[in-house]
Amino acid sequence: MNDLKGRMLELVVFRELNKCRKQAKPITHFRQRIRPVSYAAHFANMEKMLTDCSESQFEMIWMNYYLSLPQTTVLEIDVLAKGEDANSCWALVFELKNRDAKNPPSMKEAQLFVTKIKVVKHWLAQSIKFVCPVYFSAKGFAPSVEAWLHEQGILTADRESWEQ
């Protein structure tokens, strides 16, 4: 049942991104859908990424995208959106967890997502403009895990912030 609830979260994000793709518009109110960054120093580092993602269009969107590079294991990316122009490409990468307040995402899961982001950046390396990672947990995060994600340059979202 929990797996099915997680898939529904993926579908919610996928449908929203796909709607914006069909309208040839950036993601509606992207900045407002992200949880506040815990420390001002981390926000300053993420400001450009937030601005770029808020203004960019994504032409391709996948749910459950499997990425395999030489000498790496196959990684599943829950939702991946990619855009490009003649000079560069950009990506929006989501990790989605259907977690409640009693069982938030663990540090190990957060570290695995950081590894996925590194693989995506390596995959896009030759012409990358930005990769915007978002960790989406239905009912939020443990404060220490969310702060660590922000330190790593990863935005966070929950059901309440996303559906505003």
Side-chain angles (χ1 to χ4, degrees):
M1 186 67 141
N2 282 337
D3 184 53
L4 190 56
K5 289 179 183 177
R7 298 289 177 197
M8 288 305 297
L9 283 178
E10 292 171 6
L11 189 58
V12 165
V13 171
F14 175 81
R15 287 181 54 132
E16 179 68 26
L17 298 179
N18 203 34
K19 180 178 93 176
C20 294
R21 180 193 62 82
K22 286 179 181 177
Q23 296 172 350
K25 296 186 336 186
I27 301 165
T28 310
H29 307 295
F30 180 72
R31 185 180 294 268
Q32 290 80 15
R33 294 170 181 245
I34 300 301
R35 288 170 55 102
V37 177
S38 50
Y39 300 103
H42 302 306
F43 183 76
N45 296 336
M46 291 190 264
E47 181 62 26
K48 178 160 178 26
M49 179 177 58
L50 263 170
T51 301
D52 287 345
C53 199
S54 297
E55 297 170 353
S56 298
Q57 293 182 28
F58 297 91
E59 291 87 26
M60 296 171 279
I61 301 158
W62 297 275
M63 203 166 90
N64 306 117
Y65 187 84
Y66 290 92
L67 181 60
S68 177
L69 297 176
Q71 302 177 0
T72 65
T73 59
V74 175
L75 298 174
E76 179 185 357
I77 299 171
D78 292 341
V79 177
L80 172 66
K82 186 177 168 219
E84 57 190 5
D85 58 23
N87 302 318
S88 61
C89 66
W90 48 90
L92 176 59
V93 183
F94 278 88
E95 179 76 12
L96 294 108
K97 299 288 183 195
N98 181 46
R99 297 296 173 79
D100 58 23
K102 293 179 184 177
N103 186 25
S106 69
M107 183 60 78
K108 185 175 182 178
E109 291 170 323
Q111 291 168 341
L112 179 59
F113 184 55
V114 169
T115 301
K116 288 181 183 183
I117 296 307
K118 289 177 184 175
V119 172
V120 169
K121 287 179 179 179
H122 181 71
W123 173 53
L124 299 172
Q126 68 270 21
S127 60
I128 190 170
K129 182 175 177 183
F130 69 86
V131 172
C132 182
V134 180
Y135 202 114
F136 186 119
S137 175
K139 297 288 183 177
F141 300 85
S144 61
V145 172
E146 186 170 32
W148 185 84
L149 286 166
H150 291 163
E151 287 173 17
Q152 305 307 308
I154 296 173
L155 302 170
T156 55
D158 59 19
R159 198 168 187 86
E160 184 178 320
S161 68
W162 187 259
E163 293 178 349
Q164 292 189 58

